[in-house]
Amino acid sequence: MSVTSVVGLQWGDEAKGKIVDFLTDSHEVVVRYQGGNNAGHTVKFDGQTYKLSLLPTGILRPGVTAVIGNGLVVNPDALLKEMKSLTDRGVRVDGGNLLVSDRAHVILPYHIIEDAVFEKRRGDNAIGTTGRGIGTCYRDKAGRSHAIRVGDLYHRETFRAKLAEIVAFKNLTLKSLDPSITPLDADAIYEAYVAFAEKLAPHVVDTTAWLHKALKQKKNVLFEGAQGSLLDVDHGTFPFVTSSNSSAAGIHSGSGVPQRAITRMIGVVKAYTTRVGGGPFPTELNDEIGQHIRDVGHEYGTVTGRPRRCGWFDAVATAYGARVCGVDQIAVMLLDVLAQLDELNICEAYDIRGERTTDFPSHVEDLEVAKPIFRKIPGWKKDITGARKLSDLPAGARQYVDTVSELLEVPAKFISIGPDREQTILL
Ligand code: IMP
């Protein structure tokens, strides 16, 4: 039996979707455990490109059950639209292959408004959120009194009463923060969400109980992380993070499956670094090399279309992500994007106020002043998208992967050199 976790070790967008898709052949269940429709996965399957946001990647494979675990924040409108976009293209999505936890929290219209209002008030310190109401929904989850879970939508009378109370409160606070905001109508939200709940009813179950039965039946289960470890609310570059445990730390809390059930922990790393939104980024390249990486790697957000910030591979930050997650192997993605550069840099340590360190700072102000200390690797200047085995790679590309693996102290098991499934070297 295999219980596998695929988790990003950087600031998200590590191309986890490709590795998840690659592994779904050998897994019957694919579980998401955190985040919401802030995530974006691009998967090429059967010659078609699918962009998924809230749905687990496994939904595309016949025979796979996709699970939206309790740790997610679910926008039911966005979920139904995404489901329809797949059924319109002939992909099966029904109560038999998509399960939604009744414990997951619900994103309501006021969460999206609050997300925008809070970001605006942060001014220069804006987090650069995706604007999907993710953080504000998690905030209500932690605060408890204003939280609605998926299961609550099926207890109509208490849902109506609770919603009326919450909306009255939100109208009060939103009005005082921004008088131009039109007050929300609790009855209209109630009607809309009851309709969403009816459509979602065949999917809603206690996914924790379901997953434990699946494990008992020795089903192979794959946990699909969204975002990346450095955006984890506890372990990431706080406060420039997302509001969930987007490292492997979220698996236990966000699915109800204990960490010790996991037999294989795969960390996914991009061969360089990207970041969307605000926050420190020691190896960022604000020059033509950064732009080259952005252009060749198509580094524009799947969800928001924002250009991603690009930089050299940061082994200090990524090794920290690997340690927090406890990965036993890594997948090195998008190596082909670096093929045309003359010389490559890998950050092996930071200089923080004159001191060399390989520890990742816990305070954002220390990370802001961290200067990368680079190890230089000669470029290989050769297209590698046709490589299918390690020996097909030029020596420089092999040296690059070996260096990443050495600095992370984790063996590389996959090297990705293009978007297609076949463009993957297994080690
Ligand atoms: P939020 O998750 O919308 O609250 O955004 C918080 C931070 O996480 C922002 O910097 C976002 O750009 C970043 N973020 C959220 N989801 C993703 C993702 O899927 N990939 C990369 N960055 C993300």
Side-chain angles (χ1 to χ4, degrees):
M1 186 175 89
S2 159
V3 183
T4 309
S5 149
V6 175
V7 63
L9 301 186
Q10 295 154 310
W11 280 289
D13 309 313
E14 297 94 349
K16 297 175 288 292
K18 173 169 166 175
I19 295 296
V20 172
D21 176 58
F22 198 87
L23 294 168
T24 41
D25 274 354
S26 52
H27 292 81
E28 296 123 296
V29 182
V30 177
V31 188
R32 262 194 71 181
Y33 51 91
Q34 46 69 231
N37 61 327
N38 50 349
H41 303 292
T42 306
V43 185
K44 292 199 181 230
F45 179 64
D46 270 354
Q48 300 221 43
T49 302
Y50 295 91
K51 287 191 188 296
L52 301 176
S53 191
L54 185 52
L55 288 170
T57 308
I59 195 78
L60 299 172
R61 296 244 155 215
V64 167
T65 305
V67 177
I68 291 181
N70 61 280
L72 277 87
V73 286
V74 175
N75 177 329
D77 189 21
L79 176 58
L80 287 162
K81 285 189 178 129
E82 201 173 323
M83 287 159 62
K84 183 167 181 315
S85 76
L86 290 190
T87 49
D88 284 350
R89 291 172 73 179
V91 178
R92 177 186 165 208
V93 184
D94 58 34
N97 73 336
L98 174 67
L99 305 178
V100 179
S101 171
D102 56 357
R103 291 186 178 92
H105 280 250
V106 181
I107 296 181
L108 286 120
Y110 44 78
H111 290 128
I112 298 165
I113 300 171
E114 286 176 327
D115 196 348
V117 171
F118 296 167
E119 273 290 84
K120 200 169 155 203
R121 288 181 76 87
R122 285 185 195 113
D124 287 345
N125 292 321
I127 296 165
T129 72
T130 57
R132 301 289 192 271
I134 305 294
T136 42
C137 185
Y138 276 119
R139 178 186 152 119
D140 279 342
K141 170 180 174 177
R144 293 147 299 165
S145 24
H146 293 155
I148 304 279
R149 304 206 296 182
V150 170
D152 294 332
L153 303 176
Y154 302 95
H155 295 265
R156 298 278 156 86
E157 285 320 306
T158 38
F159 171 48
R160 187 196 277 276
K162 199 167 177 190
L163 189 64
E165 186 196 323
I166 299 170
V167 170
F169 180 90
K170 299 282 182 187
N171 279 339
L172 256 174
T173 51
L174 281 170
K175 189 107 199 129
S176 63
L177 292 171
D178 182 350
S180 72
I181 286 177
T182 318
L184 290 148
D185 176 351
D187 288 338
I189 300 175
Y190 173 80
E191 297 300 337
Y193 274 65
V194 162
F196 295 147
E198 256 165 46
K199 288 194 189 138
L200 286 177
H203 305 271
V204 176
V205 295
D206 176 346
T207 52
T208 307
W210 190 93
L211 282 170
H212 279 277
K213 281 188 196 128
L215 290 172
K216 217 168 180 179
Q217 291 161 6
K218 307 263 181 256
K219 287 200 172 147
N220 293 333
V221 178
L222 191 152
F223 289 94
E224 175 179 352
Q227 292 88 47
S229 303
L230 304 177
L231 287 171
D232 186 292
V233 68
D234 282 284
H235 305 289
T237 49
F238 194 88
F240 298 99
V241 292
T242 192
S243 298
S244 62
N245 283 121
S246 50
S247 69
I251 297 175
H252 193 168
S253 59
S255 70
V257 173
Q259 211 83 3
R260 66 174 178 185
I262 294 163
T263 54
R264 184 184 186 193
M265 185 77 83
I266 304 169
V268 186
V269 306
K270 217 176 237 188
Y272 45 95
T273 310
T274 61
R275 177 159 209 180
V276 211
F281 181 173
T283 61
E284 184 166 16
L285 287 163
N286 288 309
D287 58 9
E288 68 283 3
I289 299 180
Q291 189 57 42
H292 171 83
I293 293 175
R294 186 174 305 113
D295 291 341
V296 180
H298 310 290
E299 293 296 353
Y300 294 88
T302 317
V303 172
T304 58
R306 290 181 288 180
R308 295 181 184 139
R309 301 160 63 192
C310 299
W312 296 119
F313 186 82
D314 184 342
V316 179
T318 313
Y320 166 73
R323 286 194 294 276
V324 167
C325 294
V327 300
D328 38 52
Q329 44 190 258
I330 53 168
V332 180
M333 313 303 286
L334 291 127
L335 187 64
D336 53 301
V337 172
L338 302 178
Q340 297 311 327
L341 296 170
D342 295 325
E343 188 178 57
L344 301 157
N345 284 317
I346 292 182
C347 170
E348 60 175 13
Y350 294 152
D351 174 324
I352 300 183
R353 300 183 191 91
E355 288 216 10
R356 183 189 167 104
T357 181
T358 51
D359 289 336
F360 190 65
S362 52
H363 202 284
V364 79
E365 286 178 24
D366 295 326
L367 190 59
E368 268 159 8
V369 298
K371 294 189 197 82
I373 298 170
F374 288 119
R375 192 183 292 190
K376 296 206 177 292
I377 297 189
W380 51 89
K381 306 276 276 181
K382 197 171 160 221
D383 176 30
I384 54 170
T385 52
R388 294 296 174 266
K389 49 189 193 308
L390 191 61
S391 56
D392 294 340
L393 287 179
R398 272 180 283 157
Q399 186 190 344
Y400 192 86
V401 174
D402 286 347
T403 307
V404 167
S405 180
E406 175 207 318
L407 292 171
L408 266 53
E409 299 180 24
V410 186
K413 287 284 172 194
F414 306 82
I415 302 172
S416 177
I417 30 85
D420 291 324
R421 263 192 149 206
E422 312 78 64
Q423 293 175 301
T424 313
I425 298 171
L426 297 180
L427 303 170

